[in-house]
Amino acid sequence: LPLAKESDEVRLAQMEIDSLCRAVTEQLPHTGGNICVLGGCEIHHPETRPLIQAVAKRLVETLPDRDVSVLTGGLPGVQEQMVKSLSSHGFQQITNLVHFGQERGSAAIGEDLVAGVDAAERRKVFSRVGDVYLCFEGGPGVAEEAQVAFSRGARVVPLMGLGGAAGGDFGFPLQALEVPTWCSSEDWARLSDLGNAEEVADVVVRL
């Protein structure tokens, strides 16, 4: 009986998360797809900022005619750098999924949408509503979100050359580091090559 009770509690918790994900998805302003940005709250690799800026520039050049949102968790570090870079190029299709008590995304850019009562619940929702996840550096939290996203079939694009979770540390899903069926081996290899940020950004946007 205790096992049955525990199983029921797990199912109930999952139903609550699924319901919250549906509610969040219905409130997103764009319906053509969601590109989620995963990354640490601190930037460690010297090539991370230039690469984010290059990816943002290419996204702006590619996405304006598409009904697509870029989603973040409203956090400092990688996500803040991405929304600032997108905004500097005039891109406005940004939504920050925040939790109660985190009333405004750290960069104060884009639309904020409450997606949980706390950070843990927000992370569960964030890992379940995206179509593509761009991963820059990161720690255990990024690895966990990437695992959930990958396990449900979302496209996970790790910038492996930056290290951290995106480089395979902290329990990042190892299968997500392998060449996927939707990418050539040549393009995938570029995600580990930081020699030219613009060329890597071109690969990211193609994916």
Side-chain angles (χ1 to χ4, degrees):
L1 288 178
L3 289 177
K5 181 179 179 181
E6 181 178 342
S7 179
D8 288 342
E9 291 175 350
V10 170
R11 282 197 295 269
L12 180 60
Q14 185 59 55
M15 289 173 61
E16 291 175 348
I17 291 296
D18 290 344
S19 177
L20 182 55
C21 288
R22 285 194 296 271
V24 168
T25 300
E26 290 172 357
Q27 294 181 70
L28 290 174
H30 304 282
T31 58
N34 299 313
I35 299 174
C36 294
V37 180
L38 286 174
C41 291
E42 295 182 3
I43 293 176
H44 300 284
H45 198 289
E47 296 300 324
T48 298
R49 281 190 175 84
L51 185 53
I52 290 174
Q53 291 165 353
V55 169
K57 182 175 183 293
R58 289 293 290 118
L59 284 174
V60 171
E61 293 169 352
T62 305
L63 296 180
D65 296 331
R66 302 184 186 181
D67 192 22
V68 174
S69 288
V70 171
L71 307 183
T72 83
L75 299 174
V78 164
Q79 294 182 350
E80 181 175 3
Q81 181 64 59
M82 179 60 81
V83 298
K84 285 182 176 179
S85 298
L86 289 169
S87 178
S88 71
H89 292 289
F91 188 81
Q92 299 180 344
Q93 297 161 213
I94 300 167
T95 300
N96 306 301
L97 302 187
V98 300
H99 58 82
F100 285 113
Q102 181 196 351
E103 299 300 339
R104 191 77 177 116
S106 61
I109 297 172
E111 177 181 345
D112 287 357
L113 178 60
V114 174
V117 297
D118 54 26
E121 189 169 66
R122 180 203 56 75
R123 285 195 298 270
K124 290 178 181 179
V125 172
F126 191 77
S127 62
R128 289 168 170 81
V129 298
D131 301 292
V132 178
Y133 287 78
L134 307 181
C135 303
F136 302 82
E137 300 189 16
V142 168
E144 181 180 355
E145 289 175 281
Q147 176 65 65
V148 174
F150 183 78
S151 66
R152 64 179 183 78
R155 289 193 177 190
V156 175
V157 183
L159 281 299
M160 295 172 280
L162 298 176
D169 293 337
F170 304 108
F172 193 89
L174 295 181
Q175 284 185 309
L177 301 175
E178 299 174 358
V179 182
T181 57
W182 37 265
C183 179
S184 70
S185 57
E186 293 78 12
D187 276 352
W188 198 251
R190 295 308 302 273
L191 302 181
S192 297
D193 179 10
L194 303 179
N196 187 307
E198 286 73 22
E199 290 181 5
V200 177
D202 285 341
V203 171
V204 172
V205 172
R206 282 201 298 274
L207 301 180

